[in-house]
Amino acid sequence: MQSYQENFFQNYSLIFDRSNYPNFKKSNRGYIPEDDAPCVCLSGKIFANCCKDGIEDAIKIRKIKPEEAKRNIENQYNKQTKNLLSFKTEKKSIDKKNISYCSAQEVFGGCDSKQRIRYSHTLSKGSTLDRLSNGGRLVRFNDHALIKNINLSNINDYFEDVADNRASVTVSFCKKHDEELFFHIEKDGNNAFKNDIIQNLEYSLKAITFDIYYKIMNIKYLSNLIKHNKYVANNPDGSLSSFFEDYNLFVSGLFKLYPLMKKLLVDLKKKNNNSQLITQVFKLPVDRINFSLSEVIEINGIPCFINVVNNQNPFIIISYFPQNGKHIDYLKNIKMDFDHSGLICWRTSFYALWPLTKLLLNNSINIYFNKTEFDKLPDEVKFFLVRIHREGTKNISSHELYYFGIIINDFLYNISEQIC
Ligand SMILES: [Zn+2]
Ligand SMILES: [Zn+2]
């Protein structure tokens, strides 16, 4: 028989019901779970009757026997990537479909008769991945590796190779809806980007589908982690770690995106030409670029659905629902810079994009690189790429940023030596 938790992550109605997740309150010690809400391990019991005592005991043990607690934590995190719980959770979620649902179930209904949920690509296979991989393999960040151990000799541990048919996969649509909902961007003959509202809605749905699936996967991971190791909720001195705060962020993030996913689905169902969705498009003046992504990133507090596609021309497509009718000035300004500098020289238009490019590198999880071009990068550049991805640019000197920034920009946008 399936456990409550196993069943939970294959059931749309349970997954998208906020009352099935823990509530957190801010105390003077940090975020802590509320006693009478569902337990953090998602056993189906309330916190006070489940993991609460074990977590409090672990805090006491950490204060009395810090060495024992330290060993326990190290055994949890210091492993080869493939042995890490986070990696195993991700692999099983997808390969074994341990997290699977159809995102269209509530708004569209009438899912595939057998309710078969299929693997779908959050980056379109035909229009994006094939052109990105050039028929070969792709590279992505390995976000499981611990950043504190990073150095030039192990830099390749922070990336992983992926076959293009395995890239950006989630299990979040039934076959019928996967075909129907992405018809205007994926069906053969439809995949040229025209910047019409239906295509923009479909691309936005791709991005949000990935982000929601990823948040659910992280909640599942954290619920497993606390079940296996009660020490993770606190620091060596017995104070609370960021565990509950992270957990709270994933749950609140999931329920911030959920209404937006429904809004996109409703607009697609109505084929709504009056959708409020705003889209800012950057048509890139090269034949092909060396990265693609599909991701939700907040800009000025507004979730933006971002796709970088290798269509017949490459595009950066950024859509969002404006809040209180307000547009995002940041995007308008970058677009203005981009268009303006492009008039002088196509090459400098990419440097106008650099603030946006940094934002993408820093926040993207569902991002893939062309392997052939990636392999040509020196280790110092790969090192820099991981640092921007993990930490942003605040700890990087302006001199380094300038030097490596240009190399990375040229790599990402496939800019060759030629001069304007
Ligand atoms: Zn529990
Ligand atoms: Zn369906």
Side-chain angles (χ1 to χ4, degrees), residues 264-290:
L264 290 168
L265 285 162
V266 168
D267 279 354
L268 276 169
K269 192 179 179 190
K270 290 197 290 201
K271 304 210 179 335
N272 185 3
N273 283 316
N274 299 318
S275 169
Q276 293 171 336
L277 192 77
I278 300 227
T279 299
Q280 191 76 262
V281 173
F282 299 84
K283 185 179 180 194
L284 305 174
V286 282
D287 292 338
R288 195 172 63 78
I289 52 175
N290 289 320

Side-chain angles (χ1 to χ4, degrees), residues 74-123:
E74 281 174 358
N75 290 341
Q76 185 72 46
Y77 294 121
N78 287 345
K79 292 177 181 167
Q80 295 281 320
T81 294
K82 66 181 188 339
N83 295 325
L84 284 169
L85 183 62
S86 60
F87 180 79
K88 288 185 195 167
T89 306
E90 180 175 332
K91 199 162 160 48
K92 282 186 189 163
S93 298
I94 296 166
D95 292 2
K96 296 198 189 304
K97 301 188 177 180
N98 280 359
I99 300 177
S100 57
Y101 52 87
C102 176
S103 306
Q105 181 180 311
E106 188 182 347
V107 174
F108 277 72
C111 286
D112 248 35
S113 54
K114 286 182 225 140
Q115 277 278 342
R116 270 186 316 135
I117 311 296
R118 58 150 49 174
Y119 298 114
S120 25
H121 287 273
T122 49
L123 290 172

Side-chain angles (χ1 to χ4, degrees), residues 39-43 47 50-52 230:
C39 186
V40 283
C41 73
L42 300 180
S43 59
F47 180 61
C50 192
C51 293
K52 187 181 181 187
K230 301 278 186 280

Side-chain angles (χ1 to χ4, degrees), residues 15-193:
I15 291 173
F16 291 103
D17 181 344
R18 176 66 185 84
S19 69
N20 291 323
Y21 296 89
N23 288 333
F24 298 90
K25 59 183 175 207
K26 206 161 182 217
S27 73
N28 49 12
R29 292 160 58 212
Y31 281 89
I32 50 169
E34 286 179 9
D35 282 355
D36 51 2
C39 186
V40 283
C41 73
L42 300 180
S43 59
K45 294 185 216 158
I46 64 164
F47 180 61
N49 295 341
C50 192
C51 293
K52 187 181 181 187
D53 289 348
I55 290 170
E56 284 178 355
D57 287 346
I59 291 176
K60 281 180 212 147
I61 294 173
R62 270 207 138 172
K63 283 181 180 158
I64 305 162
K65 300 180 196 159
E67 281 308 309
E68 185 185 318
K70 189 165 167 260
R71 264 200 308 281
N72 217 306
I73 284 285
E74 281 174 358
N75 290 341
Q76 185 72 46
Y77 294 121
N78 287 345
K79 292 177 181 167
Q80 295 281 320
T81 294
K82 66 181 188 339
N83 295 325
L84 284 169
L85 183 62
S86 60
F87 180 79
K88 288 185 195 167
T89 306
E90 180 175 332
K91 199 162 160 48
K92 282 186 189 163
S93 298
I94 296 166
D95 292 2
K96 296 198 189 304
K97 301 188 177 180
N98 280 359
I99 300 177
S100 57
Y101 52 87
C102 176
S103 306
Q105 181 180 311
E106 188 182 347
V107 174
F108 277 72
C111 286
D112 248 35
S113 54
K114 286 182 225 140
Q115 277 278 342
R116 270 186 316 135
I117 311 296
R118 58 150 49 174
Y119 298 114
S120 25
H121 287 273
T122 49
L123 290 172
S124 296
K125 181 84 173 66
S127 55
T128 298
L129 286 176
D130 287 353
R131 274 178 62 81
L132 178 64
S133 70
N134 256 347
R137 296 179 73 84
L138 301 162
V139 172
R140 68 172 169 196
F141 291 113
N142 172 11
D143 288 319
H144 301 286
L146 287 183
I147 191 74
K148 66 170 183 175
N149 303 329
I150 184 174
N151 56 58
L152 277 177
S153 66
N154 68 6
I155 187 64
N156 286 310
D157 295 347
Y158 289 81
F159 295 93
E160 61 180 317
D161 284 13
V162 197
D164 61 357
N165 61 354
R166 300 272 308 129
S168 84
V169 170
T170 63
V171 202
S172 49
F173 284 101
C174 70
K175 182 172 184 293
K176 179 182 165 207
H177 289 129
D178 192 38
E179 283 167 8
E180 195 176 318
L181 284 166
F182 302 108
F183 183 84
H184 301 90
I185 54 174
E186 293 199 327
K187 183 84 182 131
D188 289 345
N190 284 353
N191 46 26
F193 181 62

